Amino acid sequence: MTSSPNLTFNDGNSIPQLGYGVWQVEDDVAEKVVRQAFEAGYRHIDTAKIYGNEAGVGRAIASSGLKPEEIFITTKLWNADQGYESTLAAFEESMDRLGLETLDLYLIHWMQPKQDKFVDTWKALIELQKRGRIKSIGVSNFSKEGLQRLIDETGVVPAIHQIELHPFFNQAELRDFDASHGILTQAWSPLGQGGELLENAAIAQIAAKHGATPAQVVIAWHLAIGNVVIPKSVTESRIQENFAALDVTLDEADIEAITGLDRGAEGRIGPDPAVSDFA
Ligand code: NAD
């Protein structure tokens, strides 16, 4: 069976470049679809406390027959839990739901600049990594300034930065910042949440050329430009189709054409992490 390539973090650990995300998946459905993802070949699952499905992911892990060292699990600290002590407590609750002893990757879900607790929160992640409870630590939805503060105030550089990123919003500047600091970039909503992007004429043309689907072409573009990518689907055939994007190799002209679809800030679907603050 095809397997995902791994990318190496600045802490020496590695992450399967193609993973499976479970935002907006009910807890009981999560168990079924994560099992289907494992059967399709995925070994990297992206969940979060706020998704309400850590327990379902945990049940899928427990019944999969896969050993902890064969899989890579990410979860995220929710905004209301930011702060040093509250992070330590929220982490243990997530681990109980997941049924895991050690976590592969823990992320601060949003920077929450007005709340301004992200440096203390980061210090708790550093402590949990020191204690051996988390292998790698990173962040999601930060600005360059926020990342710089983490680095300046703790000396610990995040392993990865998970951000909204798809061909209509390709985040060239933030990707450059991440790369120049040795931080991997991970793309959320990599398919643009499945709307207009997958009907785009340029993507359709490239898909036809490779005998691939539009979703596979978009995932292949993420892989080609070095993103870690976590597409979501609850349809088994699409879960398999998205994993088979590993077999699609784009040429330079395809990659340039897809990169050229960027719409700048207009292309953003979700909140802007530099200003958004929500519970
Ligand atoms: P996505 O871009 O992966 O799109 C998912 C949607 O695309 C599906 O619901 C379906 O409608 C469609 N789709 C999927 N495969 C398809 C296929 N082969 N053909 C046609 N349509 C297809 O969107 P997402 O779920 O928002 O993002 C992926 C993951 O990223 C999430 O599940 C979650 O794990 C993560 N995420 C993280 C954050 C964050 O704040 N850190 C925010 C959003 C998402």
Side-chain angles (χ1 to χ4, degrees), residues 49 76-91 106-125 138-142 149-150 273 276-279:
K49 174 183 177 179
K76 313 185 191 85
L77 175 91
W78 187 238
N79 302 343
D81 296 321
Q82 282 209 33
Y84 190 87
E85 293 298 335
S86 44
T87 295
L88 298 180
F91 171 76
Y106 202 35
L107 304 178
I108 302 177
H109 205 144
W110 290 85
M111 180 168 79
Q112 298 283 96
K114 291 196 202 90
Q115 198 177 318
D116 197 15
K117 290 184 180 169
F118 59 85
V119 175
D120 272 351
T121 305
W122 186 238
K123 287 178 182 165
L125 266 62
V139 297
S140 181
N141 302 307
F142 268 55
R149 271 192 62 195
L150 295 184
S276 73
D277 249 85
F278 47 90

Side-chain angles (χ1 to χ4, degrees), residues 5 10 28 60 64 78 93 96 99 110 179 183 189 248 269:
N10 55 24
D28 54 341
S64 69
W78 187 238
E93 288 166 13
D96 285 348
W110 290 85
I183 303 169
S189 294
V248 177
I269 302 170

Side-chain angles (χ1 to χ4, degrees), residues 7 9-11 15-16 44 72 74 105-108 122 136-141 147 157-163 178 182-187 227-229:
L7 296 183
F9 289 140
N10 55 24
D11 63 11
I15 181 169
H44 161 188
F72 186 102
T74 303
L105 178 64
Y106 202 35
L107 304 178
I108 302 177
W122 186 238
S136 296
I137 56 177
V139 297
S140 181
N141 302 307
L147 289 168
V157 182
I160 197 164
H161 185 199
Q162 184 181 123
I163 50 176
D178 290 347
I183 303 169
L184 292 184
T185 298
Q186 181 170 29
N227 295 338
V228 177
V229 56

Side-chain angles (χ1 to χ4, degrees), residues 21 23 46 140-141 162 188-189 191 193 230 232 241-242:
W23 181 40
D46 182 89
S140 181
N141 302 307
Q162 184 181 123
W188 65 251
S189 294
L191 302 174
Q193 297 181 0
I230 45 170
K232 171 226 165 182
E241 172 188 325
N242 294 347

Side-chain angles (χ1 to χ4, degrees), residues 157-173:
V157 182
I160 197 164
H161 185 199
Q162 184 181 123
I163 50 176
E164 179 184 344
L165 200 174
H166 43 78
F168 288 158
F169 187 55
N170 75 30
Q171 296 264 32
E173 208 181 315

